[in-house]
């Protein structure tokens, strides 16, 4: 039998694995993946979440924990936080903007925003970054 605490921990680690490895959530519903998990832990195999739960509540938990952990890590470094912006064009010609936070000695990714395919003035970009 698998305890509720173990299910929560296993679901969280499953979410981390899928998120960090960029694995499509549909894989969790694959019969062979489910057979593998059942072979490793029959009790958890019966409770393995589907892709909807993995992509919503479990991923939300992973995201929240990541924000808390990143925030705590940044707080442990001296100095003020700085917003970092890295703009480039992706493989289909769409302007992208990677946004992060940094302190001396550490940098953390926050999000990516997309502008579209046309050029934008500094005023448009500044307004976009402040949203």
């Amino acid at each position: 039998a698998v305890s509720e605490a173990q299910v929560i921990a296993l679901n969280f680690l499953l979410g981390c694995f899928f998120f960090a490895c960029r694995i499509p959530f549909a894989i969790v519903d694959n019969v062979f993946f489910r057979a593998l998990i059942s072979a490793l832990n029959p009790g958890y195999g019966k409770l393995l979440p589907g892709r909807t739960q993995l992509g919503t509540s479990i991923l939300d938990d992973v995201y929240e924990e990541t924000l808390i952990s990143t925030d705590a890590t940044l707080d442990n470094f001296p100095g003020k936080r700085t917003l970092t912006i890295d703009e480039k064009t992706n493989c289909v010609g769409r302007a992208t903007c990677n946004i992060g936070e940094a302190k001396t000695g550490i940098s953390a990714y926050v999000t990516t925003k997309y502008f579209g395919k046309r050029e934008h003035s500094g005023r448009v970009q500044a307004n976009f970054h402040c949203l």
Side-chain angles (χ1 to χ4, degrees), residues 21-44:
C21 295
R22 297 179 168 187
I23 298 172
F25 298 148
I27 297 299
V28 79
D29 290 330
N30 179 281
V31 65
F32 297 108
F33 180 78
R34 289 190 163 280
L36 172 66
I37 298 302
S38 291
L40 293 170
N41 187 330
Y44 182 61

Side-chain angles (χ1 to χ4, degrees), residues 4 20-21 59 85 91 93-94 130:
E4 184 177 341
C21 295
L59 190 59
I85 300 171
C91 61
R94 187 167 55 172
C130 295

Side-chain angles (χ1 to χ4, degrees), residues 82-88 96-102 107 111 115 125-126 128-130:
T82 303
L83 180 67
T84 61
I85 300 171
D86 178 23
E87 296 181 30
K88 56 181 87 174
T96 64
C97 178
N98 295 317
I99 302 170
E101 281 189 277
S107 179
T111 190
F115 286 111
Q125 292 179 8
F128 184 77
H129 296 310
C130 295

Side-chain angles (χ1 to χ4, degrees), residues 18-71:
F18 271 76
F19 180 65
C21 295
R22 297 179 168 187
I23 298 172
F25 298 148
I27 297 299
V28 79
D29 290 330
N30 179 281
V31 65
F32 297 108
F33 180 78
R34 289 190 163 280
L36 172 66
I37 298 302
S38 291
L40 293 170
N41 187 330
Y44 182 61
K46 296 173 186 171
L47 303 170
L48 188 63
R51 72 180 187 178
T52 300
Q53 184 182 357
L54 178 63
T56 56
S57 61
I58 293 172
L59 190 59
D60 289 346
D61 292 343
V62 171
Y63 180 72
E64 288 300 319
E65 182 61 34
T66 301
L67 289 179
I68 291 167
S69 176
T70 300
D71 217 36

